[in-house]
Amino acid sequence: MSEADRVPSPAALPAVAATAPEEKKGKEPEREKLPPIVSAGASAPAGLDRGFKGQISTFSSVISTVNQKKEATENRSSPTHPVFPNIKNVRDLPPISLDVRQKQRISTDPLSSEMKAPVLPEPILPVQPKTMKDFLEDVEKAKSSGDWKTVYDFYLTTFDSFPELSAAFKKDASASFNTIEDSGINAKFVNAVYDALLNTPQDIQKTVLKGIINSLLQDWKGPRTKDDLRAYFILLQNPQFNNTSTYVIYAHLLRQTASLVEADHHFLAHWFKKLSQKRFKPLVERLLQFISLRLFPAKPEEFPPISKCSWWIPSASKVLALLNTANSLVHPPLIPYTDFYNSTLDHIDLMEEYHTWQSFGNSHRFSFCQYPFVISIAAKKIIIQRDSEQQMISIARQSLVDKVSRRQRPDMNMLFLNMKVRRTHLVSDSLDELTRKRADLKKKLKVTFVGEAGLDMGGLTKEWFLLLIRQIFHPDYGMFTYHKDSYCHWFSSFKCDNYSEFRLVGILMGLAVYNSITLDIRFPPCCYKKLLSPPIVPSDQNTPVGICSVTTDDLCQIMPELAHGLSELLSYEGNVEEDFYSTFQVFQEEFGIIKSYNLKPGGDKIPVTNQNRKEYVQLYIDFLLNKSIYKQFAAFYYGFHSVCASNALMLLRPEEVEILVCGSPELDMHALQRSTQYDGYAKTDLTIRYFWDVVLGFPLDLQKKLLHFTTGSDRVPVGGMADLNFKISKNETSTNWLPVAHTCFNQLCLPPYKSKKDLKQKLIIGISNSEGFGLE
C-alpha cells in the first residue's frame, strides 16, 4: 500500500482516556472521544540531562529520608499531605484500567472548544509573589554567593502541593482561564525553573522529588480541578524524570495522568499542543525511553519486579497517546509522526502482540498494537508479512485438502496464484486471470509469459508488475490523469460502463504489498487516506467506501493551481458575488463536451457569496476528490482489500501505506554501497571505485535516476537499501557501450571503463535516457 502527508484521519485510533475505577461503577454517560490518535517514532535519548546524572540517589534512598511531613513554611496555609511511609505503598497502588483500541475505527470530531468539556471549579489559590525575573535574579545570586537558601525555599514551596504548583506558574491568579486552548500557565517561567533545577545542589533536587511524592499521595476526593490539571501538565515536563532513579515517581505520575477522565484529557491534549517543538519533543523521548528501559533494563535491580509494576508501560503508553493526539491537532505537527516510533519494539515478539490484540481486542489485556503510532513501519511490515504468510499457508493447505478429499491428484501449482499472460495482451490477460482466480489471490504469486521459457524466481513477477503499471498509467490509456504540476496521477472522472480495470489496479497494489514488491506509482497522499476509509471492508455493501474528509491541502497535492485559486477566493476582501459571479456548480470537460454538475440541490441558482464561500469551496473539493470519482475509487478500494483484507491495516497510517506500496523517498547511497553485491568485479577494482566516487558525488536527482534505471523505482523498500539486493555485474563488452540494467533483478551491468571521466559520461547518458532502451 502507500500513502503520504495528510490531515489526521478521523477514522483512526482510540481515545486515550481511561475511566477511573470508581467512575466505572457509576456508569457515567459516555463522553465524547478524544481527537483521533495518529501515528510516528523516536529513539530514546542517548543520555541524561547535563548536571543531573549521578546527583540523585535511587528512589528508595529518597523515600527512606521522608519519615514525617515537612514543617509548613511560615505564612502558608497549604493542606497537610501524607508522606510515603515506605516504598511498598508506592508500588502497590491499584492498577489503572487499560485503554484498548477498538477493532473498528471510530469517526470522531476533535474537540476544539471548552464547550465540549465541563468547566471545572477554580478554588482559591495560595499566592506566589515570585516572578520569573525575581527567580532568575535569585539563581544568579546563589551561583555567585553559594547561598542557595532563597532558591531552596522557592522550590520547597512551589512543589509542595498541586495548589502551590499551579499558583506559582499561573499567569494571573485572579483569572480562571476556563478555556481548552489556554492553560493559563506562564510557559517561559516553567521552562526557566526546570532549566535551572538541573544545575542546583542535590538537596534542592531531592526536595522537589519529595514534594512531588507527597502531592501524588494526596487523598483525592471528588473530580480534579483545573488547577490539578495544570499541576499534572507542569510535572510531566520535569526533566528530572530522564533519570532512571526517579522512574518509580514518574510511573505514578503517569498512572494518575492516564487515569484522568476523558474530559480532562481533552484539556491536557490541547495544552500540550501549545508547547514549542523544543519542549514537546523531550516529553515524547522521555516516555519512549521509559518504556524501552522497562522492557530491557540495563540495570534490572534499579526497578521493582515486573510483577509489581506491570502497569508502568500501559500508563506510559496512554500518556504518549495524549501527546500523539496533541501533535495531530497542530498543522503542521510539532514533530514528525516517525518521532513517536519506538525502535526497541522491533526486538520484541510482535506477532504475540498482534495476536493478543486480535484475541482480546476490547478487553483489559495490554498490547502495543492498541497504540500503533509507537510501532515503526519496519515492525508493521513484519506483522503484515507474517500475517500474509499465515493466510497464504492456510489457503494453500485448504486447496490441498479439497483436492485430496475429492480423490484428485495434488498438483504443486495449486499452491500458487499462477498468472499466464501474453505480452501483446498484457492488461486484458491479467484482468481475465485475476477475475478467474479470485479465490487464489492470497496465494504466492508466480508469473509466466506465454511462449517464453523460464521459471519465475521473482524476476518475472517484478517484470509483470513493471510492464502492467507502465501500461495502465500511460496517459493514452485514459484511466488516470497525470498532473505535471504535482508529478502525480489521479483517477479520471470520465464515466464508463465497466470499472473492472480500476479493480485490477487495486488488486495489483494489494499483490505488491502481499508479495513485498515495490511499485513505481505516483498517487497523492489523499489516495491512501481514502484507501483506509474504512481500513476494514464494511459488511454492508451499501456502506460508502473511499470517502474521507478532504481540505485544500489535499487538493493542493494534486492540483496546486486550483487549490491556490480556491484559497484566494476564501481570502478575497471584495464582494465575491458581484466580482466572481459564480454559482454552486462545477464544470468538467468529458470527451470534448463541457458538462455541469450541481454541488448541492439547485446549485445552479445559488450564487457564491462572502457568507457561503467556505461551503462552496468545501463542496467543490469534496466533489473533485470524492464524489466525481466514487465508482472508480470504490472499484480500486475493493480490489486492494480483496488481497490485503486484514486487521493489520488498522495499524497503519496513510503515509505508511504509501511507503509499503512505493517505498521511501529517503535515499542513502552510502548504505547502498555497503550492501552491494558484485559479479565479475571486486569492490576494490578500479572501475568499482570510480563508480562509487561518481555516484556519491551525484546530486539527488541523478541518484534517483540511477535507482530508477536499475530497479524500476526511485524509492527505497521499507527495510532500507539492503533490501534492494543491488548487484553490479561485469559486462565484458566494449567500453564504448553504455551500462545496461536488469530491473527485474536490480542488477547493473557495467563495462570496465578505464577512466572516471568516461564512466561518469556513459553512466549519465544511460540513466538519463533509459526510457525505451537499456532496460531488460
Side-chain angles (χ1 to χ4, degrees):
M1 311 168 224
S2 116
E3 176 254 286
D5 297 324
R6 54 131 177 148
V7 177
S9 169
L13 314 176
V16 297
T19 308
E22 57 268 24
E23 286 166 344
K24 283 188 187 174
K25 296 174 184 175
K27 293 186 179 178
E28 276 191 352
E30 186 177 345
R31 291 182 170 87
E32 294 193 50
K33 300 293 181 186
L34 273 179
I37 293 172
V38 191
S39 268
S43 57
L48 304 177
D49 286 18
R50 71 192 191 300
F52 187 69
K53 185 175 182 180
Q55 283 192 342
I56 293 190
S57 56
T58 63
F59 179 72
S60 301
S61 64
V62 174
I63 297 301
S64 65
T65 65
V66 188
N67 296 319
Q68 58 184 8
K69 177 71 178 75
K70 299 185 298 296
E71 292 185 8
T73 55
E74 291 184 1
N75 301 322
R76 282 174 43 227
S77 58
S78 58
T80 302
H81 304 295
V83 185
F84 270 24
N86 56 56
I87 199 163
K88 184 175 184 298
N89 292 13
V90 181
R91 296 179 184 170
D92 295 341
L93 294 178
I96 59 171
S97 59
L98 298 183
D99 178 34
V100 182
R101 189 158 174 268
Q102 299 288 329
K103 277 297 187 73
Q104 299 254 339
R105 298 194 178 191
I106 301 172
S107 178
T108 59
D109 295 321
L111 295 185
S112 58
S113 73
E114 68 278 9
M115 297 306 294
K116 297 202 177 180
V119 175
L120 303 178
E122 292 286 338
I124 299 174
L125 290 180
V127 176
Q128 174 55 262
K130 189 81 72 176
T131 65
M132 184 169 73
K133 182 180 178 183
D134 295 336
F135 170 77
L136 293 175
E137 288 177 354
D138 290 343
V139 171
E140 288 304 315
K141 288 177 184 177
K143 286 180 179 178
S144 58
S145 66
D147 182 4
W148 290 88
K149 185 177 185 312
T150 304
V151 176
Y152 178 92
D153 289 342
F154 170 81
Y155 281 108
L156 176 68
T157 303
T158 299
F159 287 88
D160 182 63
S161 70
F162 276 19
E164 293 280 7
L165 191 63
S166 185
F169 297 109
K170 203 169 181 181
K171 293 176 186 173
D172 183 349
S174 62
S176 63
F177 292 102
N178 282 322
T179 169
I180 204 166
E181 294 294 337
D182 187 356
S183 65
I185 293 296
N186 185 338
K188 291 183 178 179
F189 195 5
V190 173
N191 296 338
V193 168
Y194 279 142
D195 289 345
L197 176 60
L198 296 184
N199 295 312
T200 61
Q202 187 178 2
D203 61 336
I204 294 179
Q205 299 186 43
K206 285 184 178 180
T207 297
V208 170
L209 291 174
K210 292 174 186 177
I212 295 173
I213 291 168
N214 285 331
S215 295
L216 295 177
L217 280 177
Q218 181 178 346
D219 185 19
W220 296 101
K221 292 180 181 178
R224 305 296 167 90
T225 67
K226 283 282 286 301
D227 290 313
D228 295 334
L229 296 188
R230 292 188 183 99
Y232 286 120
F233 177 63
I234 294 166
L235 289 179
L236 286 169
Q237 300 177 56
N238 188 343
Q240 289 179 293
F241 295 133
N242 280 337
N243 196 317
T244 54
S245 65
T246 66
Y247 271 15
V248 175
I249 310 174
Y250 190 35
H252 283 279
L253 172 62
L254 295 175
R255 177 165 69 173
Q256 288 193 16
T257 305
S259 298
L260 293 170
V261 296
E262 194 166 333
D264 293 345
H265 281 164
H266 278 292
F267 278 100
L268 288 176
H270 281 270
W271 291 350
F272 278 123
K273 78 177 184 182
K274 296 290 186 180
L275 295 179
S276 66
Q277 183 191 50
K278 178 184 176 183
R279 300 294 172 176
F280 185 85
K281 189 171 182 177
L283 298 184
V284 175
E285 292 175 339
R286 192 175 300 137
L287 281 161
L288 292 171
Q289 177 181 261
F290 177 84
I291 292 171
S292 297
L293 291 179
R294 179 61 277 187
L295 283 173
F296 302 105
K299 299 178 180 177
E301 66 276 6
E302 284 188 320
F303 304 139
I306 190 68
S307 60
K308 294 283 188 178
C309 57
S310 59
W311 47 269
W312 279 28
I313 289 176
S315 298
S317 299
K318 285 171 181 264
V319 178
L320 199 56
L322 266 181
L323 296 177
N324 184 57
T325 298
N327 195 51
S328 72
L329 291 172
V330 186
H331 304 288
L334 291 168
I335 59 176
Y337 72 88
T338 50
D339 281 359
F340 282 89
Y341 286 165
N342 190 336
S343 57
T344 305
L345 303 185
D346 295 356
H347 306 288
I348 66 174
D349 189 341
L350 293 166
M351 291 312 293
E352 182 182 352
E353 294 290 317
Y354 180 67
H355 292 315
T356 297
W357 178 62
Q358 290 281 84
S359 304
F360 300 92
N362 295 327
S363 74
H364 291 257
R365 184 82 173 268
F366 175 80
S367 165
F368 281 109
C369 291
Q370 296 161 341
Y371 305 97
F373 55 87
V374 301
I375 304 175
S376 70
I377 180 63
K380 288 173 184 172
K381 183 184 180 184
I382 291 173
I383 292 175
I384 290 171
Q385 282 184 333
R386 290 183 183 170
D387 189 47
S388 300
E389 288 167 2
Q390 289 173 3
Q391 291 185 51
M392 285 179 181
I393 293 169
S394 175
I395 291 173
R397 183 186 293 122
Q398 187 59 48
S399 297
L400 194 59
V401 169
D402 290 344
K403 276 274 187 183
V404 172
S405 65
R406 292 197 297 267
R407 298 186 177 182
Q408 296 175 347
R409 185 176 180 179
D411 179 3
M412 289 305 296
N413 284 326
M414 66 186 294
L415 302 179
F416 299 92
L417 168 58
N418 293 288
M419 300 287 296
K420 283 191 175 183
V421 294
R422 296 168 294 176
R423 289 184 183 270
T424 53
H425 298 80
L426 193 62
V427 175
S428 59
D429 283 2
S430 299
L431 191 59
D432 291 342
E433 285 280 86
L434 292 173
T435 302
R436 222 164 26 88
K437 299 175 179 177
R438 187 173 297 178
D440 297 335
L441 291 179
K442 288 183 180 290
K443 295 180 181 178
K444 185 72 176 174
L445 176 64
K446 283 193 177 295
V447 175
T448 304
F449 287 98
V450 175
E452 298 179 22
L455 294 173
D456 184 10
M457 305 302 290
L460 294 178
T461 294
K462 186 174 179 183
E463 184 181 12
W464 176 70
F465 274 111
L466 284 170
L467 296 175
L468 201 52
I469 290 296
R470 193 174 298 173
Q471 190 166 331
I472 286 174
F473 282 85
H474 196 282
D476 293 344
Y477 208 73
M479 288 178 63
F480 298 94
T481 304
Y482 183 71
H483 295 270
K484 294 182 179 179
D485 292 344
S486 54
Y487 304 105
C488 71
H489 290 94
W490 190 242
F491 295 78
S492 170
S493 60
F494 294 166
K495 303 295 184 291
C496 59
D497 297 328
N498 190 347
Y499 295 96
S500 58
E501 289 182 342
F502 287 99
R503 188 181 183 95
L504 169 62
V505 179
I507 291 173
L508 280 177
M509 277 183 54
L511 288 173
V513 172
Y514 212 59
N515 291 272
S516 301
I517 301 287
T518 301
L519 298 182
D520 186 28
I521 292 180
R522 292 292 182 271
F523 279 136
C526 174
C527 174
Y528 304 102
K529 187 162 63 169
K530 288 167 66 67
L531 204 54
L532 292 180
S533 301
I536 301 299
V537 177
S539 54
D540 183 358
Q541 293 296 313
N542 295 320
T543 303
V545 297
I547 299 291
C548 66
S549 59
V550 286
T551 66
T552 49
D553 289 338
D554 294 306
L555 183 63
C556 188
Q557 292 163 349
I558 307 169
M559 309 169 197
E561 285 192 14
L562 177 58
H564 178 72
L566 293 176
S567 298
E568 289 287 313
L569 174 65
L570 290 174
S571 59
Y572 186 67
E573 296 181 358
N575 188 309
V576 171
E577 182 176 2
E578 292 181 0
D579 296 346
F580 287 87
Y581 201 69
S582 296
T583 59
F584 276 68
Q585 267 186 315
V586 62
F587 298 91
Q588 286 190 330
E589 182 181 347
E590 297 181 12
F591 303 108
I593 301 172
I594 302 296
K595 292 190 176 182
S596 64
Y597 298 91
N598 286 346
L599 296 177
K600 59 192 296 189
D604 56 328
K605 297 179 177 62
I606 303 174
V608 179
T609 65
N610 292 62
Q611 289 71 38
N612 65 17
R613 57 183 169 180
K614 284 186 179 179
E615 181 191 12
Y616 168 76
V617 168
Q618 187 55 47
L619 289 173
Y620 197 149
I621 297 172
D622 185 60
F623 175 82
L624 291 176
L625 304 187
N626 283 324
K627 292 178 180 174
S628 68
I629 60 162
Y630 178 76
K631 290 184 178 179
Q632 294 89 323
F633 197 91
F636 172 74
Y637 172 94
Y638 282 116
F640 178 82
H641 287 272
S642 66
V643 183
C644 288
S646 166
N647 284 331
L649 286 181
M650 288 195 291
L651 303 178
L652 297 172
R653 293 171 57 96
E655 296 94 331
E656 294 169 329
V657 181
E658 180 180 16
I659 291 173
L660 284 175
V661 173
C662 305
S664 169
E666 303 296 326
L667 302 189
D668 183 351
M669 301 309 282
H670 289 281
L672 183 64
Q673 181 184 16
R674 289 192 296 271
S675 62
T676 296
Q677 304 167 30
Y678 300 97
D679 180 17
Y681 282 119
K683 63 181 179 180
T684 54
D685 287 350
L686 200 57
T687 302
I688 297 302
R689 282 157 47 198
Y690 287 157
F691 174 81
W692 288 114
D693 284 348
V694 167
V695 169
L696 295 176
F698 273 165
L700 181 61
D701 64 321
L702 282 180
Q703 289 180 344
K704 285 190 172 186
K705 284 183 178 181
L706 171 66
L707 204 62
H708 192 280
F709 176 71
T710 53
T711 70
S713 173
D714 62 4
R715 289 181 166 230
V716 184
V718 170
M721 290 292 194
D723 275 11
L724 281 175
N725 296 317
F726 183 66
K727 179 186 282 188
I728 299 178
S729 298
K730 192 170 187 177
N731 196 354
E732 297 288 1
T733 58
S734 167
T735 54
N736 292 325
W737 283 40
L738 296 174
V740 174
H742 299 283
T743 55
C744 301
F745 299 100
N746 300 338
Q747 184 178 12
L748 177 67
C749 298
L750 199 65
Y753 298 113
K754 301 302 182 186
S755 71
K756 186 191 296 187
K757 181 180 178 181
D758 192 27
L759 185 147
K760 183 176 182 179
Q761 182 185 32
K762 295 288 197 308
L763 187 60
I764 290 176
I765 293 173
I767 65 178
S768 300
N769 300 275
S770 60
E771 287 299 325
F773 77 98
L775 292 171
E776 295 185 6

